[in-house]
Amino acid sequence: MIRSFVALDIPPRVQEILAGLTAELRQTRAPVSWVPADRIHLTLKFLGNVPPERVEAVCDALVPVAASNSSFRLQPYGCGAFPTIKQMRVVWVGLRGDEQALASIQKSVEAVLAPLGFEPETRPFRAHLTLGRVKGRQHLRALQDALLHHREFEAEAFDVKELVLYKSDLMPQGARYTPLFRA
């Protein structure tokens, strides 16, 4: 089985800016498993474990989605936590820009993968870049304060030009993402 997901890549320059924000948030000493900057991406659809023989069908389904959508611009903006800043489990940076194009491509990915047996997500899509996952309760007040201080954080805008199917290998030092297909 191949653990996989469909995502949009973030350019290296933007990843560097996000790494700077993460470095500041780390100073709170809150128990967070921080995502390395080069692994930050925008997940459109988590597929879970996919049999190897079905990967080609997933790739084939993504081609018309990519072909029917032109590139669009997004900008990392704001930061916070899911489900709330008081009960945080995930620390994130939001996105603004062509949100309509982003929502459209995400819905298209859901639609083309549903006939292949991938259940559509029941929760509403909330575009975000995961910076880290909270692992404990110590120093959370400091992290909350830091997130509020950076609530209007912004990085440079970037163009989205392709969909990527990633393989995710869980390792003791964190997940390793390998692109399997780009459309």
Side-chain angles (χ1 to χ4, degrees):
M1 297 293 250
I2 299 172
R3 187 173 191 265
S4 58
F5 61 92
V6 179
L8 303 176
D9 277 341
I10 307 302
R13 173 69 187 129
V14 175
Q15 289 174 332
E16 289 173 24
I17 295 167
L18 295 170
L21 174 61
T22 298
E24 286 187 47
L25 298 176
R26 276 181 191 268
Q27 292 177 6
T28 66
R29 297 186 2 244
V32 176
S33 175
W34 298 104
V35 177
D38 64 344
R39 295 185 200 153
I40 296 174
H41 59 274
L42 172 55
T43 301
L44 297 177
K45 175 76 176 163
F46 179 72
L47 303 178
N49 290 320
V50 178
E53 63 275 7
R54 294 189 55 215
V55 170
E56 188 174 343
V58 171
C59 297
D60 291 345
L62 295 176
V63 170
V65 174
S68 64
N69 286 279
S70 54
S71 68
F72 56 95
R73 269 181 104 57
L74 293 175
Q75 180 186 24
Y77 176 78
C79 60
F82 289 138
T84 69
I85 201 161
K86 290 189 189 268
Q87 299 178 348
M88 59 179 88
R89 286 194 303 259
V90 172
V91 177
W92 53 260
V93 165
L95 292 155
R96 68 179 176 187
D98 197 342
E99 295 167 40
Q100 194 169 30
L102 177 58
S104 174
I105 203 164
Q106 189 274 334
K107 285 178 185 165
S108 295
V109 167
E110 287 276 8
V112 299
L113 294 177
L116 299 178
F118 299 99
E119 292 292 321
E121 179 62 56
T122 56
R123 296 172 293 185
F125 178 66
R126 297 205 35 205
H128 68 281
L129 306 172
T130 298
L131 296 183
R133 290 177 174 72
V134 177
K135 300 296 183 188
R137 308 309 302 161
Q138 312 90 326
H139 306 289
L140 286 190
R141 180 67 187 166
L143 180 56
Q144 290 166 345
D145 290 344
L147 289 172
L148 289 171
H149 176 75
H150 290 288
R151 70 177 160 254
E152 296 201 23
F153 165 84
E154 63 182 27
E156 58 192 59
F158 61 94
D159 292 320
V160 174
K161 297 179 180 177
E162 64 184 3
L163 292 172
V164 185
L165 175 64
Y166 276 101
K167 172 183 176 186
S168 174
D169 293 306
L170 300 178
M171 317 287 268
Q173 63 275 23
R176 182 181 65 205
Y177 305 138
T178 307
L180 296 176
F181 181 75
R182 295 179 183 274

